[in-house]
Amino acid sequence: MEFLNWVRGPGLEYATVIFLVGILMRFLEMWLIGRKPDLSRPRASASRAGWRAVWRRSLPSEGLMKNSPLVMIAGYVFHIGFLLVLLFYVPHIHFFKDVLGFGWSGLPTPVINFLSILTIAALVALLIHRLIDPVRRFLSTSQDYIVWAVTTLPVVTGYMAMHMDVMPYTTMLALHILSVEILMVVFPFTKLMHAFTFAVSRYYNGAAMGRKGVQL
């Protein structure tokens, strides 16, 4: 019980501070890098091209779907499933309500269970593909496997806390919360940061190319 109280109290506070400060530092770093002013005559609307790039780059890539459908499908399933479980599982909503002061409607538990299993399956499929594909395995670094682990653990431990009597519920719940806190601590300093920067980078590249008359 002391372990659960710690992860719900000081542990969560430490993780939240590191998470927020880390994200702020990363955005500050990007802002300080800056960019050189483009003095060329614009050939098209940069903002329109930027938003077009954000939208089009978020859709399934025809080339990747043809050459590596598993990566494409599992990637979408994992991202969407993870987000839905995070935002629409009722106990999660209660937590957000305590923090934010407002909540929203959740999804039925059977739907959350299905999404959790689907998300775990997609993550496992992506790991197996990374291990057996020679090119992807060669390009992978230790950070890729760490990111996979800290992303997968919250989903697995959360599902186990609700459905498996592997250990006392309070212990399993504490491990689940701890896994989330580890994810929060690691998040700003790894590739996970793309969750906040992907739209910015796509817009920037699209706007830069669009200004030159190039369509992405």
Side-chain angles (χ1 to χ4, degrees):
M1 195 65 179
E2 290 183 6
F3 179 34
L4 179 59
N5 290 334
W6 187 87
V7 295
R8 278 178 163 173
L12 182 59
E13 292 174 0
Y14 297 149
T16 302
V17 170
I18 295 173
F19 177 75
L20 295 177
V21 172
I23 289 176
L24 180 62
M25 288 174 57
R26 292 298 301 274
F27 274 111
L28 182 62
E29 178 186 15
M30 288 185 287
W31 180 74
L32 290 174
I33 291 174
R35 63 174 181 173
K36 295 180 180 180
D38 189 345
L39 303 178
S40 63
R41 181 174 60 86
R43 299 181 179 180
S45 171
S47 60
R48 184 181 302 172
W51 289 115
R52 185 190 302 118
V54 172
W55 168 250
R56 294 188 64 179
R57 291 297 179 90
S58 299
L59 299 176
S61 167
E62 183 177 345
L64 186 57
M65 181 64 78
K66 180 180 179 180
N67 297 323
S68 190
L70 174 64
V71 173
M72 177 62 70
I73 295 172
Y76 273 91
V77 169
F78 140 59
H79 282 88
I80 295 172
F82 189 96
L83 189 63
L84 290 176
V85 172
L86 172 65
L87 295 180
F88 293 100
Y89 183 40
V90 173
H92 294 170
I93 296 173
H94 290 163
F95 170 78
F96 290 129
K97 186 176 182 179
D98 290 339
V99 175
L100 303 174
F102 63 90
W104 50 88
S105 299
L107 292 172
T109 300
V111 175
I112 293 295
N113 292 339
F114 174 73
L115 290 172
S116 298
I117 295 172
L118 209 59
T119 301
I120 294 170
L123 284 163
V124 171
L126 289 170
L127 176 63
I128 293 174
H129 184 268
R130 183 179 294 277
L131 292 172
I132 64 176
D133 182 85
V135 176
R136 189 170 292 270
R137 186 174 66 249
F138 175 77
L139 295 174
S140 297
T141 65
S142 57
Q143 183 182 144
D144 292 305
Y145 297 105
I146 292 172
V147 165
W148 181 90
V150 299
T151 303
T152 305
L153 279 175
V155 189
V156 173
T157 55
Y159 186 84
M160 291 176 65
M162 296 302 297
H163 299 285
M164 298 183 181
D165 296 327
V166 178
M167 56 185 69
Y169 171 73
T170 54
T171 303
M172 198 68 243
L173 178 61
L175 290 174
H176 171 59
I177 298 173
L178 179 63
S179 70
V180 174
E181 292 166 358
I182 293 173
L183 174 62
M184 293 171 65
V185 169
V186 170
F187 192 102
F189 312 105
T190 62
K191 296 176 181 179
L192 290 168
M193 187 65 188
H194 80 276
F196 287 120
T197 60
F198 79 95
V200 177
S201 62
R202 289 174 184 176
Y203 178 87
Y204 174 80
N205 291 330
M209 293 297 101
R211 180 184 172 87
K212 299 175 182 178
V214 179
Q215 289 191 5
L216 295 180

